[in-house]
Amino acid sequence: MSEFQVTEALTEETVNDLLTIRDWLRWTTSQFASEGVFFGHGTDNAWDEAVSLILPILNLPLDTPTELMNSRLTRSEKERLLRYIETRIVERTPVAYLTNQAWFAGMPFYVDERVLVPRSPFAELINNKFAPWVSSEQSVSRILDMCTGSACIAIALAQAFPESQVDAVDISYDALEVANINIDDYMLQDQVFAIQSDVFSGIEGQKYDLIVANPPYVDAEDMADLPHEFHHEPELGLASGEDGLDVTRKILQQAAEHLTDNGLLFVEVGNSMVHMEALYPGAPFEWVEFEHGGLGVFAISKQQLVDYFND
């Protein structure tokens, strides 16, 4: 871990020498790079990480006009920034938990340490309304977001399919509290419903045209090697047994009975896709190829589930 520390001397130096927002962005970028923080909760480089921390802390949008970057900061603003920068570096706290904001599918969401930081490639599928698997003429009236966390996927689904009802389920009551904050913020209380459920246990008898599942999928080996930043996230949302597929097994075993006749299931398994072929040899999973990065998401229809698991 880093030995970075905001001493009285460092405070005086930075407060006196760093005058503008641009100064602070440059300095913070250098600190993140030299202190070896891990980027993987919304950014992939030190500059973007600095922007995603500094501007929200100053109550400025991420697309703040360039001319404002030369604005001078007050001493209290500088001291506040230093405290957040220290926490990011020393405690390895992800920026999203420091600002209580994360972006998904082009929309901001409230997050804290009760939920994972959104980073799913499902955003691309949602923005494309699941084409070509779902045609523009196809009716999608009921959608299930499995393991909803912050409800970012559920809310994005509701925006993409405005005529649909979206059930957002999670085993964690803590996560559902965060989900409801976001549902309220987007005023979707009549369209998105947060439900406590261990996989399908809380929605018996319900059927959906589309099931989107982003379950925990980190295997034991990867859990042991995760950077410190990930240990701020709830382990319940990450770990899923030796091969990372404990929850995925349950989903695949039960999904068919919760899909309409033409229903589709999409599941994200990330790096644990390497275990899928050994676990389900010859299964008709169709792996999604993403244009904007991401892997480990497959699609399968109700009929394919019935045929494979009933053989």
Side-chain angles (χ1 to χ4, degrees):
M1 293 289 284
S2 170
E3 297 182 359
F4 180 93
Q5 187 176 5
V6 177
T7 63
E8 184 176 346
L10 177 61
T11 299
E12 286 305 311
E13 177 187 19
T14 52
V15 166
N16 292 334
D17 293 349
L18 303 179
L19 305 178
T20 68
I21 297 173
R22 192 183 306 279
D23 291 340
W24 278 85
L25 287 171
R26 199 282 310 155
W27 183 81
T28 304
T29 298
S30 297
Q31 299 307 310
F32 287 168
S34 64
E35 296 294 335
V37 301
F38 176 80
F39 312 117
H41 290 88
T43 71
D44 61 6
N45 62 83
W47 172 262
D48 288 343
E49 188 84 353
V51 169
S52 68
L53 176 63
I54 298 297
L55 295 182
I57 295 302
L58 295 174
N59 296 309
L60 293 171
L62 295 180
D63 59 353
T64 292
T66 304
E67 52 268 25
L68 281 182
M69 294 301 182
N70 292 322
S71 301
R72 290 177 173 241
L73 299 177
T74 66
R75 183 181 182 90
S76 62
E77 286 176 323
K78 295 174 184 180
E79 291 175 346
R80 186 162 183 252
L81 287 177
L82 264 178
R83 291 195 297 271
Y84 279 97
I85 293 164
E86 180 182 35
T87 302
R88 176 67 187 94
I89 292 173
V90 176
E91 298 182 15
R92 292 300 199 251
T93 306
V95 165
Y97 292 150
L98 297 175
T99 62
N100 294 123
Q101 184 183 80
W103 289 77
F104 179 78
M107 297 182 289
F109 293 93
Y110 174 88
V111 295
D112 60 32
E113 295 191 13
R114 292 174 288 180
V115 297
L116 299 185
V117 177
R119 51 184 174 270
S120 172
F122 268 126
E124 183 176 318
L125 277 170
I126 295 169
N127 288 337
N128 293 333
K129 298 188 178 181
F130 290 84
W133 294 272
V134 176
S135 69
S136 57
E137 296 82 19
Q138 192 170 341
S139 173
V140 178
S141 59
R142 295 204 69 199
I143 304 175
L144 174 63
D145 174 26
M146 176 71 68
C147 305
T148 193
S150 63
C152 63
I153 289 177
I155 289 167
L157 285 164
Q159 304 280 28
F161 299 96
E163 302 302 316
S164 68
Q165 173 186 315
V166 183
D167 288 346
V169 307
D170 204 289
I171 191 173
S172 167
Y173 286 102
D174 285 343
L176 292 173
E177 289 179 357
V178 177
N180 277 315
I181 290 171
N182 286 311
I183 292 168
D184 291 345
D185 284 348
Y186 279 92
M187 295 183 289
L188 289 171
Q189 301 93 330
D190 295 331
Q191 187 184 2
V192 181
F193 302 93
I195 302 168
Q196 196 280 331
S197 179
D198 182 358
V199 190
F200 295 101
S201 66
I203 48 173
E204 291 184 12
Q206 301 301 309
K207 290 185 180 290
Y208 302 91
D209 303 304
L210 182 62
I211 298 177
V212 176
N214 184 15
Y217 55 68
V218 182
D219 64 28
E221 182 179 357
D222 283 349
M223 281 297 297
D225 295 334
L226 286 176
H228 290 290
E229 279 82 352
F230 288 95
H231 294 290
H232 288 272
E233 297 188 291
E235 185 174 336
L236 184 64
L238 293 170
S240 194
E242 189 66 26
D243 62 2
L245 298 174
D246 283 1
V247 179
T248 299
R249 287 184 183 86
K250 294 180 182 179
I251 293 171
L252 288 170
Q253 290 163 0
Q254 302 172 40
E257 62 188 88
H258 292 279
L259 284 166
T260 56
D261 289 344
N262 295 316
L264 292 165
L265 169 68
F266 289 80
V267 184
E268 180 176 346
V269 295
N271 291 337
S272 291
M273 66 185 295
V274 300
H275 303 298
M276 289 290 289
E277 188 171 346
L279 184 60
Y280 300 108
F285 302 128
E286 185 174 355
W287 293 95
V288 178
E289 295 185 9
F290 293 98
E291 292 183 15
H292 304 295
L295 53 76
V297 174
F298 66 81
I300 189 169
S301 69
K302 174 177 181 172
Q303 193 57 55
Q304 288 172 323
L305 283 167
V306 171
D307 292 343
Y308 182 82
F309 285 97
N310 288 349
D311 280 348

